[in-house]
Amino acid sequence: MRIRVLGIGMGPRHVTPEVAEALRGTDYVLAPRKSADDGLLAVRRAICERHGVELVAVPDPARDRGDPADYPAAVAAWHDARAAAYERELARRRGTAGFLVWGDPSLYDSTIRVVGRLAGRLRATWDVLPGISAPQLLAARHRIVLHEVGRPVHVTTARRLREAVDGGQENVVVLLGGDPDLSGLADWTIWWGANLGAEGEELAHGRVGDVLPGLAAARERARAAAGWVMEIHLLRRVR
């Protein structure tokens, strides 16, 4: 058995030649189905159809999307349930399986962790091929460098943005989560994007205090166009 973790950016236009070749060599792709009208599953299906690969939809276990007291434990439990669901399909089908990962598998995605666990159980070989990441797309759309000359960039989630700012970070890429807490940051600069490279792409840039009032409407336009929304932004303190 072989398992391939394949970065797909934001959809068909971002599948690299390397990933396309790997897809053509897989027997099937396993993908989570989160609802009956899962728009993200539809994008994965379109990629598989383009490259002549069967897509096997696996019902995704429920996850606590709130703010549990022990967030790492809640995520670990979800990963365990996901691994068990995938393991049943892999053990039954064998062959070469693919997992299609949004953006790049190295950044705020748990497929590598889950597949690493499964490979050990199933005695499978596995590898990872990179994809175009959301920070790359954000920088390209806004024609910027993510960091200033000689200075770092901090990458975190909306859930932990306040922690980063309070800890002294002044140049922060924020993923995973809409409507982040931007209180006290009105004079910072923001470069924002939703559904980058996909249907309904939205962009905004400027002083946070000026841009923030329009973000909710932009977010909903992106959701209405695609049926889902993924957003990312860069925040930078003005010096």
Side-chain angles (χ1 to χ4, degrees):
M1 180 186 295
R2 185 182 188 187
I3 303 173
R4 313 206 71 179
V5 179
L6 308 174
I8 58 169
M10 282 295 287
R13 291 187 296 173
H14 293 155
V15 173
T16 66
E18 181 183 38
V19 169
E21 181 180 2
L23 268 172
R24 290 191 292 270
T26 62
D27 297 310
Y28 57 96
V29 162
L30 291 182
R33 184 178 66 240
K34 299 185 178 184
S35 65
D37 58 347
D38 188 338
L40 294 176
L41 179 63
V43 177
R44 285 186 169 102
R45 191 179 303 280
I47 291 172
C48 288
E49 289 175 353
R50 177 173 295 191
H51 297 281
V53 182
E54 177 189 8
L55 183 140
V56 179
V58 178
D60 203 35
R63 174 187 171 188
D64 185 349
R65 294 284 179 179
D67 191 11
D70 192 345
Y71 179 76
V75 172
W78 178 53
H79 289 171
D80 286 341
R82 227 181 201 188
Y86 290 143
E87 184 174 5
R88 287 191 290 270
E89 286 293 339
L90 289 166
R92 182 171 70 87
R93 292 174 176 269
R94 310 295 293 181
T96 298
F99 286 84
L100 305 185
V101 179
W102 297 110
D104 180 80
S106 70
L107 190 61
Y108 284 104
D109 185 86
S110 294
T111 304
I112 286 176
R113 297 186 184 99
V114 171
V115 168
R117 188 181 312 175
L118 290 172
R121 293 178 187 170
L122 298 170
R123 298 184 179 180
T125 61
W126 64 293
D127 63 349
V128 179
L129 297 184
I132 298 172
S133 70
Q136 286 177 283
L137 283 168
L138 183 73
R141 288 295 187 267
H142 285 288
R143 299 172 297 176
I144 58 172
V145 178
L146 291 176
H147 58 85
E148 297 171 289
V149 176
R151 299 189 64 85
V153 57
H154 183 78
V155 181
T156 190
T157 64
R159 180 188 296 270
R160 305 192 68 169
L161 171 59
R162 182 52 51 184
E163 174 187 329
V165 171
D166 291 346
Q169 298 294 339
E170 298 183 332
N171 191 63
V172 186
V173 171
V174 183
L175 298 92
L176 298 184
D179 199 19
D181 179 8
L182 299 178
S183 57
L185 306 180
D187 289 326
W188 286 43
T189 301
I190 186 170
W191 293 264
W192 178 90
N195 292 5
L196 298 176
E199 187 174 358
E201 175 179 289
E202 292 280 341
L203 297 172
H205 164 242
R207 178 179 171 271
V208 168
D210 298 330
V211 170
L212 186 58
L215 290 189
R219 187 179 299 121
E220 290 312 307
R221 286 195 300 269
R223 191 190 309 277
W228 46 271
V229 63
M230 292 185 186
E231 64 183 272
I232 178 175
H233 59 274
L234 170 69
L235 286 167
R236 182 175 295 163
R237 182 191 294 275
V238 177
R239 302 182 189 284

